């Protein structure tokens, strides 16, 4: 049976190969281990294998895991990567380090207001619905600049870049083309806002190579690290 450590090594090897294929430095791509539906012990196993950044789609599950792993908290980086409702912003602002799924000003304002003053700024990405998927969260590309300007001006938040979860594509070339649209949008936002946006959160277990080829700086990988997930409670969420 393959261990978490071995699976992490395999994912890191995929990242290195993908970077080498496009002339990129592997150090420029971070691995976010998506631990949704897996318990604290799975995170401990990954931690023991050297992983430090973890992503959670479901707020309450993430909060429970953060509490259960309190002894490791100074060494862990927790990312909220799922859709965020207004009534969940306070615990996210208080407990998480990153939020990838900001797609409207109200959510950003609440995160800014509720981020404790004693903590570093909450690192945030705007989620962009790059291909118009009917069931996907995210700001439209056309509205992204206006939202980015407003979010960048909020205290206690640091706007880092963009996140996207494109619809499944028929082949790698089509995957790269959609991811490239996100990368192009990030360049336009950097030029328009004058901000050093440095994060492109895109690519998961099935398509991380295509995302890296298009410029991803953070891939969100769950299945390839932790294995298949139970269908109950996770059926509506895309596989990471």
């Amino acid at each position: 049976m393959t261990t978490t450590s071995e699976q992490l090594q395999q994912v890191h090897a995929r990242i290195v190969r993908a970077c080498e294929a496009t002339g990129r430095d592997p150090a420029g791509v971070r691995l976010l281990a998506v631990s949704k539906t897996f318990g604290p012990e799975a995170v401990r196993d990954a931690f023991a294998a050297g992983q430090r950044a973890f992503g959670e789609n479901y707020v309450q599950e993430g909060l429970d895991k953060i509490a259960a792993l309190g002894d490791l908290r100074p060494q862990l980086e927790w990312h909220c990567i799922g859709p965020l409702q207004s009534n969940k912003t306070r615990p996210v602002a208080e407990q998480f380090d990153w939020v990838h799924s900001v797609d409207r000003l109200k959510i950003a304002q609440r995160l800014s207001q509720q981020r404790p003053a004693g903590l570093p700024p909450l690192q945030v990405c705007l989620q962009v619905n790059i291909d118009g998927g009917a069931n996907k969260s995210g700001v439209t590309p056309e509205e992204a600049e206006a939202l980015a300007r407003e979010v960048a001006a909020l205290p206690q938040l640091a706007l880092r870049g963009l996140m996207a979860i494109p619809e499944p594509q028929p082949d790698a070339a089509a995957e790269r083309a959609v991811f490239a649209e996100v990368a192009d949008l990030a360049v336009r936002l950097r030029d328009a806002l004058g901000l050093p946006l440095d994060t492109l959160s895109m690519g998961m277990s099935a398509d991380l190579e295509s995302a890296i080829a298009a410029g991803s700086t953070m891939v969100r990988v769950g299945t390839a690290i932790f294995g298949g997930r139970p269908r109950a409670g996770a059926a509506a969420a895309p596989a990471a």
Side-chain angles (χ1 to χ4, degrees):
M1 183 176 181
T2 307
T3 66
T4 299
S5 177
E6 290 170 333
Q7 291 175 160
L8 273 168
Q9 290 176 14
Q10 291 170 9
V11 172
H12 280 295
R14 287 176 62 187
I15 292 171
V16 170
R17 289 194 298 269
C19 287
E20 291 175 344
T22 54
R24 295 186 60 191
D25 182 352
V29 180
R30 294 189 65 198
L31 173 60
L32 180 64
V34 180
S35 45
K36 68 178 183 183
T37 76
F38 290 93
E41 290 311 311
V43 175
R44 285 191 185 276
D45 288 345
F47 173 83
Q51 182 64 27
R52 295 296 181 266
F54 294 87
E56 290 289 330
N57 285 68
Y58 310 116
V59 173
Q60 190 56 56
E61 179 187 348
L63 294 172
D64 292 344
K65 221 167 287 182
I66 291 170
L69 296 162
D71 57 310
L72 299 180
R73 185 64 184 94
Q75 301 176 74
L76 297 183
E77 187 177 270
W78 289 100
H79 296 235
C80 178
I81 62 175
L84 188 54
Q85 298 176 339
S86 296
N87 63 349
K88 296 289 188 180
T89 55
R90 182 175 295 279
V92 170
E94 293 174 346
Q95 298 294 331
F96 282 81
D97 302 297
W98 283 69
V99 176
H100 291 226
S101 49
V102 173
D103 62 359
R104 56 195 188 278
L105 182 58
K106 179 181 179 181
I107 293 296
Q109 288 172 328
R110 290 177 65 87
L111 289 170
S112 174
Q113 293 163 0
Q114 295 165 346
R115 181 70 168 175
L119 294 180
L122 185 64
Q123 311 297 295
V124 301
C125 292
L126 301 187
Q127 182 173 354
V128 179
N129 188 350
I130 195 65
D131 51 7
N135 297 318
K136 294 284 175 64
S137 301
V139 64
T140 68
E142 295 75 20
E143 297 171 333
E145 181 178 334
L147 180 59
R149 286 186 183 278
E150 293 174 305
V151 172
L154 293 172
Q156 287 297 92
L157 300 185
L159 179 59
R160 296 294 298 271
L162 303 177
M163 186 269 264
I165 311 172
E167 295 289 334
Q169 300 297 317
D171 53 47
E175 290 173 351
R176 287 194 299 273
V178 177
F179 286 131
E181 292 182 33
V182 184
D184 290 344
L185 176 59
V187 171
R188 296 198 298 273
L189 292 180
R190 279 197 294 267
D191 292 343
L193 277 63
L195 293 174
L197 305 179
D198 61 2
T199 300
L200 282 175
S201 171
M202 57 188 195
M204 299 187 287
S205 292
D207 58 8
L208 68 85
E209 287 84 1
S210 297
I212 289 172
S216 175
T217 65
M218 187 180 298
V219 291
R220 308 179 308 273
V221 178
T223 303
I225 295 172
F226 297 109
R229 297 187 176 92
R231 294 186 63 84

